[in-house]
Amino acid sequence: MRLMIDTNIILDVLIRRENFYGNSKAVLSLCEDRTIQGLVPASAVTDIFYITRKALGNTEDTYRVISSILNIVRILTVTNDDVLNAFQVKAKDFEDCLMATCAKSNKCDGIVTRNKKDFLTFGVTLYSPEELLQLFEET
C-alpha cells in the first residue's frame, strides 16, 4: 500500500505533539517496517524542516531528527505538471492541493492525515491515523 504521509503526521512525531504523537508514531512505524510505503512530496520537506527547526530551536538537532524520517519514508519529486495542475484548481490551501495532486500522479492509494476535511474536494482516498491503524489491526 502506497500512502502519502501528510506533513502534520511527521511533525507530530518530530516535535512530539502530545495529543497526536502516539498514533502518528504508529503510522511511521508501519512505514519503517515496510507494512506500507510512506511517501512525502519534496515540497513538504522544506515546511517540515522550517517548523521543526523553530520548535527545536537548533539546526543540528533538526537535521538529526529529519534524517531519521528520511530513512523511513520516500521523498517524491514534485513535477512542473504537478504544480500547474494544482495551481489550476485554485484551492484555498495550495499546499494540500499540491500534496493531493502528487498523490494522484504517483498512484498513491491514499493520504494519511489528521485533517481529512482539508482534502475532501481533491478526489483522493483519505485515512486518519486511527483509521489506518485499525485497518492493519483487522488484517
Side-chain angles (χ1 to χ4, degrees):
M1 189 174 211
R2 293 170 48 87
L3 294 171
M4 187 73 74
I5 309 299
D6 193 9
T7 304
N8 59 33
I9 303 297
I10 293 171
L11 289 171
D12 290 346
V13 174
L14 293 180
I15 61 178
R16 295 185 176 265
R17 290 179 174 156
E18 187 175 320
N19 294 332
F20 308 111
Y21 177 82
N23 286 335
S24 293
K25 174 77 170 136
V27 168
L28 290 181
S29 292
L30 291 174
C31 299
E32 187 171 27
D33 68 16
R34 305 298 187 232
T35 301
I36 63 172
Q37 183 179 22
L39 306 162
V40 175
S43 57
V45 176
T46 56
D47 295 335
I48 292 166
F49 190 93
Y50 177 80
I51 294 167
T52 302
R53 188 183 66 210
K54 284 188 85 79
L56 298 179
N58 181 306
T59 301
E60 186 176 317
D61 288 344
T62 302
Y63 275 107
R64 182 181 47 75
V65 298
I66 290 179
S67 176
S68 67
I69 295 297
L70 296 178
N71 290 320
I72 296 171
V73 299
R74 181 171 167 231
I75 306 301
L76 295 177
T77 301
V78 177
T79 68
N80 184 66
D81 285 345
D82 291 331
V83 173
L84 293 177
N85 289 336
F87 196 75
Q88 289 174 358
V89 174
K90 297 189 185 321
K92 189 169 93 174
D93 188 327
F94 182 75
E95 179 184 0
D96 289 341
C97 184
L98 183 58
M99 182 172 285
T101 300
C102 289
K104 288 193 267 189
S105 70
N106 284 280
K107 298 177 179 33
C108 291
D109 298 305
I111 297 174
V112 184
T113 180
R114 283 192 294 98
N115 301 317
K116 288 172 65 173
K117 65 178 176 36
D118 294 346
F119 291 91
L120 292 176
T121 61
F122 302 133
V124 294
T125 302
L126 302 170
Y127 300 94
S128 69
E130 297 78 13
E131 290 167 338
L132 184 69
L133 296 172
Q134 185 176 22
L135 180 69
F136 283 95
E137 285 176 5
E138 294 172 357
T139 58

